[in-house]
Amino acid sequence: MPRPAVLAPLLLAFASEVPAAGPPRHADGWFLIQLDRALTGESPDGAFPLRTGVPALDAAIRETPVRWIDFAFRVSLADASLRDRHAAAGLDRVYRFHVPRGTDVAAAVARFAAIPGVSFAEPDWVGEGGTLPNDPSFSSQWAYQQVSDNDVDGPEAWDVAVGGPQIVAVLDTGADSDHPDLAAKLLAGWDFANNDADPEDDHGHGTNVGSIASAVTNNGAGVAGACWNCRILPLKVLDATNSGLYSWWADAMIWATDHGARVLNLSAGGFSASSTLLNGVQYAWKAGVVHVSITHNDNCNCIRYPGRYAETIAVGGTDGQDRRAVPFCYNATSGSNYGAEIDVVAPGELILGAARGGGYSSWCGTSQAAPLVAGLVGVVRSMNPALGREEARHLLRASAEDLQGRPAEDVAGFDIYHGWGRVNMDRAVRAARSTISLRVEGKAATRVRLDAANPVAASYDFIRGDLASLTESDAGVTTGSVVCLENDSPDPDTAGREDTGTPAPGTGYFYLSRFTGAPGAGRYGGSSRNRDRTDPSAGDCPR
């Protein structure tokens, strides 16, 4: 059916020109009605007669007055091969009733809704395309939004959640405590390089990194941060030359954990393994802290420590074309490191953020990719404070966008250059929000999943408690059997290995995580062997 030409001028007319945060808006010039019976007599231009043969409906049409009627779903209904499917769903009985602009749509809707034979009547509501912060430099923050869509879908994610007061520890060169985009966010931190309580930034790296994670956002000034309302715990572990000792780093990890940090970002790394550094990493990990680190910028298969440790979430960097960043802007031989330990990648080339001494500047490197991920973890942990550290890792992996980079590097599923893909904030927050309860032998379990309109994965399951089996399914996906893990084995080693045998009564703990790949989503699959011990007493395995 051809689209009536007369419709075009009306499509941008709304009932009230108010900001998105104001009252709901609707179309000015028509409203929507579904009838119990389909109309007949469609003209070649797609309009229907104004006389339906139903006296009450015809009277309302005359008195409103309705100017013409056409299909609401005119584009979809144009496919005649799907006519039966559309009719079964009642789509061919939903119409636009066009009225003069300025008509009281609410009153018209109320009148038509009361007529027998009208299934529903409602305004054609207006929605917005994502929450855009009013920070004036946001338009230069390509990582969150750009025309090519080689971005992390920040505005779409912020339409769901902008993050609460989770504490994100930023282990770096410190922070500019007077910067207008940071000052209100900073908690009392520590300077491990100079051993004092003044973690002031004397380099600039930390100020940029902290603002990427959580600048003061939607305040009409400067830039936006990934987590709008997260608090920053500034810990200076790098000196004025942007260098620091492992012992400082480990000490800061312990201090941050003891002072309430739920997310930790270290945009630094070294080539040497270290028991001292691992002590700090594992202390934070055992306490449930999500530790985000970097692969580093040497353009080699040589992910640096602590990003190489299994407890951290290792983040590589991409450019504005979604490719592994090589080189970065500051050095022709630089590039995002890669390797088997990488989890995900995020934008890291020319990332605008706060500058030491006020103002703003762009930096390049995996150092800029990691704090965006740390801020995203702050958002999802704000949505679900009980979210475990391994759940956060799997959430990032499953919601990442695969096959975005160079074809030779970014292959389907995991690859050493991009991990499980480039992070997508929108998919991650929608997965964190989409939780439903399942009934399993009278016990509570949780499935986290996306609906069909936003497929991160067909299923995303974390089950805890005294559950012998899980047999229910949703959207055609059966979760299968619960994995029963022991809780009497030593702590996981650096490769994340744990004992998966059947535990003795009283020592068991259930944990299942499984992802099934979906089109457009990361293809991470299998059952996790890294369980969270946030509640070791949650239940026993069946005998």
Side-chain angles (χ1 to χ4, degrees):
M1 62 196 69
R3 170 180 168 181
V6 71
L7 295 182
L10 296 176
L11 293 179
L12 297 180
F14 302 122
S16 56
E17 298 301 326
V18 298
R25 296 181 296 160
H26 57 72
D28 180 16
W30 69 84
F31 50 92
L32 304 175
I33 284 181
Q34 184 183 53
L35 300 175
D36 290 348
R37 294 190 301 173
L39 297 176
T40 59
E42 181 185 9
S43 67
D45 66 358
F48 288 91
L50 296 181
R51 297 188 63 179
T52 67
V54 179
L57 184 59
D58 289 345
I61 289 172
R62 288 193 305 271
E63 295 166 11
T64 303
V66 174
R67 298 173 63 191
W68 76 88
I69 302 170
D70 65 345
F71 281 120
F73 307 126
R74 62 188 184 279
V75 176
S76 297
L77 294 177
D79 188 342
S81 69
L82 299 175
R83 181 174 299 155
D84 291 343
R85 179 188 299 182
H86 294 154
L91 304 181
D92 61 341
R93 295 183 282 108
V94 183
Y95 305 95
R96 279 194 184 94
F97 278 50
H98 293 263
V99 293
R101 292 191 61 180
T103 296
D104 187 340
V105 169
V109 163
R111 177 171 184 181
F112 278 87
I115 296 173
V118 174
S119 300
F120 69 73
E122 64 182 14
D124 197 351
W125 296 109
V126 176
E128 286 73 36
T131 300
L132 291 175
N134 61 16
D135 306 84
S137 294
F138 177 73
S139 60
S140 299
Q141 293 183 273
W142 69 265
Y144 295 116
Q145 185 183 48
Q146 60 171 310
V147 174
S148 67
D149 202 32
N150 296 323
D151 55 60
V152 300
D153 289 343
E156 293 88 343
W158 295 325
D159 208 29
V160 177
V162 296
Q166 291 279 307
I167 298 177
V168 177
V170 177
L171 282 61
D172 216 287
T173 61
D176 182 349
S177 61
D178 294 322
H179 199 289
D181 248 350
L182 285 177
K185 290 295 191 76
L186 300 178
L187 301 172
W190 193 263
D191 181 346
F192 291 84
N194 299 293
N195 195 29
D196 60 42
D198 184 21
E200 196 66 30
D201 191 357
D202 52 9
H203 179 274
H205 189 271
T207 296
N208 175 270
V209 167
S211 68
I212 294 169
S214 185
V216 180
T217 303
N218 209 37
N219 63 332
V223 296
C227 181
W228 289 19
N229 298 310
C230 285
R231 306 299 301 278
I232 297 175
L233 183 62
L235 302 176
K236 183 173 174 59
V237 299
L238 300 169
D239 61 20
T241 68
N242 204 27
S243 301
L245 298 173
Y246 277 14
S247 60
W248 298 348
W249 299 0
D251 201 3
M253 294 171 195
I254 297 167
W255 198 92
T257 301
D258 292 341
H259 286 77
R262 298 292 291 150
V263 185
L264 186 157
N265 186 91
L266 175 63
S267 287
F271 284 112
S272 302
S274 165
S275 296
T276 298
L277 181 60
L278 184 57
N279 279 336
V281 169
Q282 291 186 334
Y283 184 86
W285 188 84
K286 292 174 185 177
V289 177
V290 177
H291 184 161
V292 180
S293 194
I294 62 174
T295 63
H296 227 285
N297 311 324
D298 310 290
N299 193 27
C300 59
N301 188 339
C302 56
I303 293 175
R304 296 200 195 188
Y305 295 95
R308 256 176 112 165
Y309 290 129
E311 292 85 352
T312 67
I313 295 173
V315 182
T318 57
D319 62 19
Q321 286 72 50
D322 252 349
R323 305 169 301 192
R324 179 175 68 93
V326 53
F328 284 113
C329 66
Y330 65 90
N331 187 306
T333 62
S334 64
S336 179
N337 289 0
Y338 49 92
E341 302 85 1
I342 190 172
D343 287 287
V344 291
V345 291
E349 176 72 355
L350 295 173
I351 305 301
L352 184 66
R356 183 172 70 99
Y360 302 87
S361 60
S362 294
W363 290 62
C364 304
T366 54
S367 288
Q368 281 58 55
L372 187 152
V373 175
L376 172 57
V377 174
V379 173
V380 297
R381 274 203 148 176
S382 299
M383 299 170 69
N384 179 8
L387 187 78
R389 60 214 184 293
E390 290 304 320
E391 293 179 53
R393 182 199 306 277
H394 296 320
L395 178 62
L396 292 171
R397 287 176 170 181
S399 60
E401 291 190 66
D402 197 10
L403 299 173
Q404 301 297 305
R406 297 179 181 89
E409 292 186 347
D410 195 359
V411 300
F414 176 84
D415 59 72
I416 63 173
Y417 300 99
H418 301 82
W420 295 101
R422 194 250 304 129
V423 295
N424 184 291
M425 292 181 62
D426 183 42
R427 292 180 174 184
V429 299
R430 291 181 189 278
R433 182 185 67 173
S434 301
T435 60
I436 59 173
S437 294
L438 300 179
R439 300 181 303 279
V440 186
E441 298 184 356
K443 304 295 182 179
T446 301
R447 164 178 283 182
V448 185
R449 63 177 179 82
L450 288 186
D451 58 28
N454 266 292
V456 161
S459 67
Y460 180 124
D461 303 314
F462 289 94
I463 291 86
R464 298 189 183 86
D466 188 10
L467 311 174
S469 65
L470 184 60
T471 57
E472 293 198 19
S473 65
D474 186 74
V477 178
T478 302
T479 59
S481 300
V482 171
V483 176
C484 181
L485 301 181
E486 283 192 295
N487 202 30
D488 58 358
S489 57
D491 290 337
D493 61 23
T494 56
R497 291 185 289 265
E498 295 190 21
D499 190 343
T500 58
T502 301
T507 62
Y509 185 70
F510 287 97
Y511 182 84
L512 168 69
S513 66
R514 191 193 65 195
F515 303 83
T516 303
R523 288 175 171 81
Y524 177 74
S527 294
S528 172
R529 300 304 186 205
N530 296 310
R531 68 180 181 276
D532 281 319
R533 291 206 189 93
T534 55
D535 183 8
S537 63
D540 301 334
C541 289
R543 298 186 182 185

